[in-house]
Amino acid sequence: MKREGIVFIISAPSGAGKTTLCKEVIDIFHDLRHSVSYTTRQARPGEVHGRDYFFVGQEEFRRMVEAGEFVEWAEVHGNCYGTALATLAEYRSRNIDVILDIDCQGARQLKEQFTGGVFIFILPPSYHELRRRLDKRNSDSEEVIEMRIENAAAEIRESRWYNYIIFNDDFSRALEELKSVIMAERCRTDRVLDAVGEMFELS
Ligand code: 5GP
């Protein structure tokens, strides 16, 4: 059925399991894509330019901001991250559903810009578990981990204005909930009504 592509915006404090959840649903739904962001952060071991992020220098990032090339951008944990207008425009023109894994500041900017976006917040089970996951990940310094935990409370406070909250204490259940949100949003009457009218020649 033909319908406009949906933009799913997913936020969470780092360590809540958002990246893994996003990867899983993208593997499951072959017609769902991940929007690749730009960042000034250094690539972590195993991360690939163009797949995980477009890794750019601060000067290039600033140039893109000034040229209005981002639909949203924000400074998160000391680095800049942004979603390119061109990336979203490409998916929208092809009616492809897309997931944006972005922080609350960026999500807020998008909330103000379009009405059709679906805002999903992933919650970790507790601060204790958040720290355990960040320590286990072993990809950030102790200082960065402290900063991420300090920022978590402010981020969790933002969850109140999202459309859905998924509690990731149990990964399989959280994944089922995320899949359900995606499937339900795809069936919403206001998204499919035009297509139904065309298919069944309703005037
Ligand atoms: P990480 O460095 O762990 O990959 O990401 C740190 C944070 O930046 C995460 O909360 C992630 O969702 C957010 N982030 C990633 N890409 C973007 C983006 O394009 N825009 C915004 N606003 N945040 C982003």
Side-chain angles (χ1 to χ4, degrees):
M1 194 185 288
K2 262 200 301 177
R3 56 161 177 78
E4 272 184 17
I6 307 171
V7 181
F8 294 97
I9 297 107
I10 306 195
S11 305
S14 50
K18 173 184 53 165
T19 309
T20 318
L21 278 170
C22 289
K23 282 195 177 131
E24 281 289 320
V25 283
I26 283 162
D27 276 353
I28 294 166
F29 296 101
H30 295 295
D31 49 359
L32 178 68
R33 302 291 151 75
H34 166 240
S35 156
V36 180
S37 297
Y38 285 75
T39 184
T40 58
R41 164 166 83 59
Q42 293 290 313
R44 296 188 184 123
E47 283 185 328
V48 176
H49 179 81
R51 185 193 67 190
D52 300 290
Y53 281 107
F54 293 109
F55 296 98
V56 294
Q58 297 198 358
E59 223 154 81
E60 172 60 3
F61 196 93
R62 202 172 312 124
R63 186 203 62 73
M64 291 180 75
V65 170
E66 278 161 17
E69 292 181 22
F70 289 122
V71 62
E72 65 73 31
W73 73 273
E75 195 180 318
V76 189
H77 313 309
N79 293 300
C80 293
Y81 297 82
T83 307
L85 256 171
T87 308
L88 273 199
E90 162 76 8
Y91 287 125
R92 294 199 111 185
S93 71
R94 291 160 57 204
N95 291 336
I96 291 174
D97 295 344
V98 62
I99 284 194
L100 269 59
D101 164 348
I102 66 175
D103 89 310
C104 304
Q105 305 169 74
R108 240 182 212 287
Q109 293 169 41
L110 293 180
K111 182 91 175 166
E112 283 156 18
Q113 288 178 55
F114 46 77
T115 48
V118 180
F119 294 80
I120 306 167
F121 198 94
I122 313 286
L123 276 181
S126 62
Y127 286 125
H128 179 76
E129 176 61 14
L130 197 64
R131 164 169 279 286
R132 200 192 62 79
R133 289 180 188 176
L134 290 174
D135 283 342
K136 196 174 138 211
R137 194 155 83 178
N138 209 12
S139 59
D140 294 308
S141 65
E142 185 55 33
E143 199 187 345
V144 170
I145 290 177
E146 280 308 326
M147 183 165 60
R148 286 180 184 243
I149 289 175
E150 267 173 37
N151 290 346
E155 287 169 327
I156 291 170
R157 201 166 291 125
E158 292 285 310
S159 63
R160 67 183 80 174
W161 59 263
Y162 280 67
N163 301 116
Y164 298 94
I165 294 181
I166 293 177
F167 190 56
N168 188 13
D169 56 338
D170 176 272
F171 184 79
S172 316
R173 208 207 58 248
L175 180 60
E176 285 307 306
E177 289 181 358
L178 184 55
K179 280 163 60 184
S180 308
V181 167
I182 293 168
M183 290 192 282
E185 284 290 335
R186 285 178 165 182
C187 299
R188 261 179 44 185
T189 306
D190 55 344
R191 298 195 193 279
V192 295
L193 201 55
D194 286 351
V196 171
E198 251 179 60
M199 283 170 72
F200 297 97
E201 297 168 12
L202 308 177
S203 53

